[in-house]
Amino acid sequence: PWTWLLAGVASGLTLSAWLGMLMVRRLSPLGQLSDAVRRHQFIVAYQPIVDLATRRCIGAEALVRWKHQNRIVRPDHFIPLAEHRGLIQAITDQVFDTVLLELGEFLQRYRDLYVSINLSAPDLTSRRFLERLTPALAAAKIAPQQIRIEATERCFLDADAAKEVIQAFRDAGHPVYIDDFGTGYSSLSYLQNFQVDALKIDKSFVDTVGQDAASSSVASHIIDMALTLHVQVVAEGIEREEQACYLRTRGAQFGQGWLFSAPLTAPDFIRYVGRGLATV
């Protein structure tokens, strides 16, 4: 009897320890994020991008959000962990699938509109996402130029692979933007080595427009550089009319930020675009 009793106690302790480890893992940030990927808990907000000359909406940036326990988790709180632990590609796939589900028919009707999607380093060093993107867009009857690619400078650590993949996206008809331009140490060298279609001026430089700050002229220098290289400019984080006017005067073509609109749900974005079309 004692043998059976001891065996039962040992089994119980083993089971308790296993359950305890499972609970700890599920309650850890990584465990919660893994659950979120499995349960498709990510949603997309659409930040309108406007033509600074006409104020007409020309597209949107797809911004991923994590809906966790009835609250929205900001991407800067989970994207680094997702990138570090190999979950970011699954999240990117869910963002793309959501864009097609929510805006697919709308993009079919309005061929001049586009949605830009942020890619991480793994998807800029292989053709995995491009090979997923191409047949899905063909099936949905959406033109390649209506899905644009945004890449931050940290995506270019493997420069040779990134250069090849970026060109593959462009050859397939997807314009490529460098996001948060100017915040990294190698911005100028990237422009020499990579063929891209647009630079996105980081909000930190837009914030200083019109202020007596050391970085207040950075935005204008980026615009001048872009014009020299014949690439377009999208200014991020525009919140004041004077910023929009200054950037347009300097030569920036497009902008996004709370001056024009906060990030929107898909139905609200469709209404936002519709209001603009009604005033044309």
Side-chain angles (χ1 to χ4, degrees), residues 80-269:
L81 178 62
E83 291 178 335
H84 181 63
R85 300 311 292 263
L87 297 171
I88 191 63
Q89 290 176 302
I91 293 174
T92 300
D93 288 349
Q94 289 184 27
V95 169
F96 173 58
D97 291 344
T98 301
V99 169
L100 281 190
L101 178 66
E102 295 183 333
L103 293 181
E105 292 182 4
F106 189 67
L107 291 173
Q108 284 180 27
R109 289 202 310 272
Y110 297 97
R111 295 289 183 175
D112 291 337
L113 287 172
Y114 71 87
V115 175
S116 64
I117 295 177
N118 293 274
L119 291 195
S120 62
D123 277 327
L124 278 173
T125 52
S126 77
R127 301 194 183 203
R128 184 203 73 88
F129 187 70
L130 177 59
E131 291 171 354
R132 193 177 190 276
L133 189 64
T134 301
L137 293 181
K141 297 182 173 59
I142 295 171
Q145 66 268 22
Q146 290 183 276
I147 297 295
R148 306 191 177 188
I149 303 303
E150 295 197 18
T152 57
E153 294 178 36
R154 66 179 181 274
C155 295
F156 302 150
L157 295 179
D158 187 345
D160 291 337
K163 182 177 181 179
E164 180 183 335
V165 174
I166 284 173
Q167 192 57 50
F169 274 111
R170 298 183 75 238
D171 289 343
H174 304 285
V176 176
Y177 297 178
I178 297 183
D179 195 15
D180 302 331
F181 185 81
T183 58
Y185 293 107
S186 303
S187 299
L188 294 178
S189 67
Y190 291 142
L191 287 184
Q192 292 176 335
N193 294 313
F194 296 95
Q195 290 291 320
V196 297
D197 299 278
L199 307 180
K200 298 192 76 174
I201 302 177
D202 187 69
K203 181 181 184 301
S204 61
F205 301 124
V206 174
D207 285 342
T208 63
V209 167
Q211 299 180 10
D212 186 16
S215 59
S216 60
S217 63
V218 172
S220 62
H221 288 314
I222 293 174
I223 294 169
D224 291 342
M225 191 187 318
L227 294 175
T228 300
L229 295 170
H230 306 291
V231 299
Q232 296 179 329
V233 173
V234 182
E236 298 181 293
I238 299 176
E239 298 178 350
R240 305 191 310 273
E241 185 63 38
E242 65 174 305
Q243 293 172 333
C245 292
Y246 173 86
L247 292 163
R248 181 197 169 195
T249 300
R250 292 296 307 191
Q253 298 97 336
F254 310 108
Q256 64 187 85
W258 284 64
L259 175 64
F260 313 113
S261 173
L264 303 170
T265 64
D268 286 341
F269 174 68

